[in-house]
Amino acid sequence: MSQSIAALTETLAQEAESVCRYYLSNGHREGGYWMVGNARNTPGRSLFVRLKGPLSGKGAAGKWTDAATGEHGDLLDIIRESCALIDFADIAQEARRFLSLPRPERPSDIASRSDPAPTGSPEAARRLFAMSQAITGTLAEAYLRNRGLAALSNTASLRFHPRCYYRPDRHSETEIWPALIASVTDLDGAITGVHRTWLDPKGFSDANLGKAPIDTPRRAMGNLLGHAVRFGTARDVMAAGEGIETILSLKMIVPNLPMAAALSAAHLAAIQLPRSLRRLYIARDNDPAGDGASARLMQRAKDAGIEAIPLSPHLGDFNDDLRLLGADALRDALRVQIAPEDVARFMNATALTANNAASS
C-alpha cells in the first residue's frame, strides 16, 4: 500500500461512522459496529464495519467483514462498492470529496458529553443488566415456561426488567414494556452487550408466543460481533446456535453441555471459539440463513482443527421441535446426532434411563 493510499485509508478510519452513515445509509449502528446487508448498501445485518480501534493494523477502525460471504476490506472498498466505481483514481477522488464535506456532530459525540453510558454502548448494556432482576417468579420465567422451557440450569445470564424502554424509531415516543434481558459476553465472561426480548404482559398466545405486540420485540445493544449469550463455561466441547430459545431447548435435553446463543445467523457464523475447544455442535435453524451460517462456522471450526457436528431440527428450529413434537421426540432425535461419548457425558442420565426402559 502506498503512503498516499495508507494516509487516505487512515483518514477515512478517523471518520468511520460518518463514512458508514453516508455510504451505507441502509444500515445502523449497534455498539461499536455499523451493520448493513453488504458493501453495496443493501439492507440487512451480514456486514459489520468496525467503528472504533487503531487507524491501522489488527482491529483497525473501518475494517469490515461480510459474514455471509467471507469478504472483508476497508472503507475505500466500501466507497468502491457502494458507488459502483472501478478505477482507483475515481475511488480516491470520491473519498477526498467526502472528506472535504462538513461533518455533522455525531449522536455518539453528544451522548459521551452528557451521559456516562451512551445509548447502545457496552456500558449502557452493563447498566441495564445490573438494573434487572432474577427471572424466578417473573413474567420472563412464565414466558420461558410457555415456550416449553422449565427447570433450566446455568441461566444466570438471563434476567427480567419490568419496565424496559422501547422506542420504535428515533422519531417515535419511548414506550415501556416488560422484557427478558440476556447478557452477551466474551470468552472471558465480560459483558459486552445485552439482548432484550420485550414481553406481552397479557401473557402467551399462539400468535405472538409471548412476545410484546410491537414491530421489533427483539433487539440487542452493545458489542455483539463474536460474542454470545452463554450457558455454562465451554472448554473442550460446546454447542452454539442462533436464538436463546433454540439453545435453551437443547439445554432441556442436554443440560450439562455448555452452550452459546449468538442471536442471529450472521453472528453465529462469526462467533469466537475457545482455544481449548475440540468439538463443536452447531444447532442450525432450518432455513437458508441457518444453512449458510452453519456451513461457514463448520469451515471455521475445521480450519481451527475443531470437529464440527451439525444438529438439525425436524421443524423450523429446536424450540419448535420441543413445543410441537415434545421433549421425548427431541431427545430421541438428538441422541442419534450427538457423539456417543457426549450422550453419556452431557445428557440427563435420569431421563435417558427412563427413555431406555420405555423403549425396551
Side-chain angles (χ1 to χ4, degrees):
M1 181 182 291
S2 69
Q3 184 63 35
S4 59
I5 297 175
L8 188 57
T9 301
E10 291 183 3
T11 304
L12 288 170
Q14 292 177 312
E15 300 288 344
E17 184 171 345
S18 295
V19 173
C20 291
R21 290 187 181 277
Y22 189 86
Y23 292 102
L24 300 177
S25 57
N26 285 322
H28 65 281
R29 178 172 180 165
E30 283 199 13
Y33 295 90
W34 190 266
M35 299 178 59
V36 71
N38 56 40
R40 291 169 293 284
N41 197 26
T42 300
R45 299 171 58 87
S46 295
L47 186 142
F48 304 85
V49 184
R50 187 182 294 273
L51 300 180
K52 297 180 180 181
L55 297 182
S56 61
K58 185 178 180 180
K63 297 290 186 180
W64 58 270
T65 298
D66 190 330
T69 65
E71 296 175 304
H72 56 88
D74 57 29
L75 292 173
L76 284 174
D77 297 315
I78 293 293
I79 293 174
R80 180 192 69 211
E81 293 296 321
S82 63
C83 296
L85 300 174
I86 298 175
D87 294 335
F88 179 76
D90 295 332
I91 299 169
Q93 181 179 1
E94 171 61 22
R96 294 188 179 100
R97 182 198 68 81
F98 168 80
L99 291 170
S100 69
L101 296 175
R103 207 72 66 240
E105 190 169 37
R106 295 176 294 184
S108 58
D109 295 333
I110 298 171
S112 64
R113 292 197 298 266
S114 60
D115 187 346
T119 300
S121 68
E123 292 80 6
R126 286 189 283 269
R127 184 173 65 182
L128 176 59
F129 192 72
M131 293 169 59
S132 303
Q133 64 190 75
I135 64 173
T136 303
T138 69
L139 182 63
E141 184 182 48
Y143 164 76
L144 294 174
R145 185 172 59 250
N146 284 318
R147 297 291 296 258
L149 305 167
L152 295 167
S153 60
N154 292 321
T155 54
S157 57
L158 301 181
R159 291 187 181 180
F160 173 69
H161 197 296
R163 295 174 56 82
C164 186
Y165 292 154
Y166 170 80
R167 194 176 183 186
D169 55 63
R170 73 170 88 182
H171 305 294
S172 301
E173 293 185 3
T174 298
E175 303 174 16
I176 294 175
W177 294 86
L180 172 67
I181 308 295
S183 62
V184 178
T185 60
D186 62 18
L187 291 175
D188 295 323
I191 296 178
T192 65
V194 295
H195 183 268
R196 296 155 292 177
T197 303
W198 282 279
L199 306 175
D200 189 344
K202 295 181 180 179
F204 183 89
S205 73
D206 291 335
N208 64 19
L209 298 180
K211 296 186 293 294
I214 52 181
D215 289 340
T216 53
R218 301 179 189 271
R219 285 184 184 175
M221 60 189 290
N223 291 341
L224 308 180
L225 187 62
H227 309 313
V229 180
R230 303 181 190 277
F231 303 96
T233 301
R235 293 182 175 85
D236 58 328
V237 184
M238 67 172 285
E242 294 183 34
I244 294 171
E245 294 85 357
T246 291
I247 287 299
L248 290 180
S249 298
L250 292 178
K251 201 74 175 166
M252 290 284 296
I253 309 301
V254 197
N256 301 317
L257 178 63
M259 300 187 187
L263 304 177
S264 73
H267 283 87
L268 177 60
I271 193 171
Q272 293 179 358
L273 303 174
R275 290 188 177 183
S276 60
L277 196 65
R278 295 294 174 263
R279 182 179 296 127
L280 172 67
Y281 291 101
I282 303 174
R284 54 176 289 273
D285 281 6
N286 200 4
D287 56 34
D291 292 340
S294 177
R296 291 190 295 276
L297 184 53
M298 287 188 71
Q299 186 60 53
R300 284 185 54 221
K302 180 180 178 181
D303 293 343
I306 300 169
E307 179 186 10
I309 300 176
L311 301 178
S312 300
H314 285 298
L315 304 175
D317 58 42
F318 284 106
N319 189 244
D320 288 344
D321 284 8
L322 177 65
R323 290 186 301 106
L324 303 177
L325 302 179
D328 289 341
L330 179 56
R331 183 179 298 108
D332 291 342
L334 288 174
R335 285 189 69 186
V336 300
Q337 298 185 64
I338 292 175
E341 59 267 36
D342 290 336
V343 170
R345 180 181 175 188
F346 295 114
M347 290 187 86
N348 188 313
T350 301
L352 286 173
T353 301
N355 198 57
N356 289 335
S359 59
S360 62

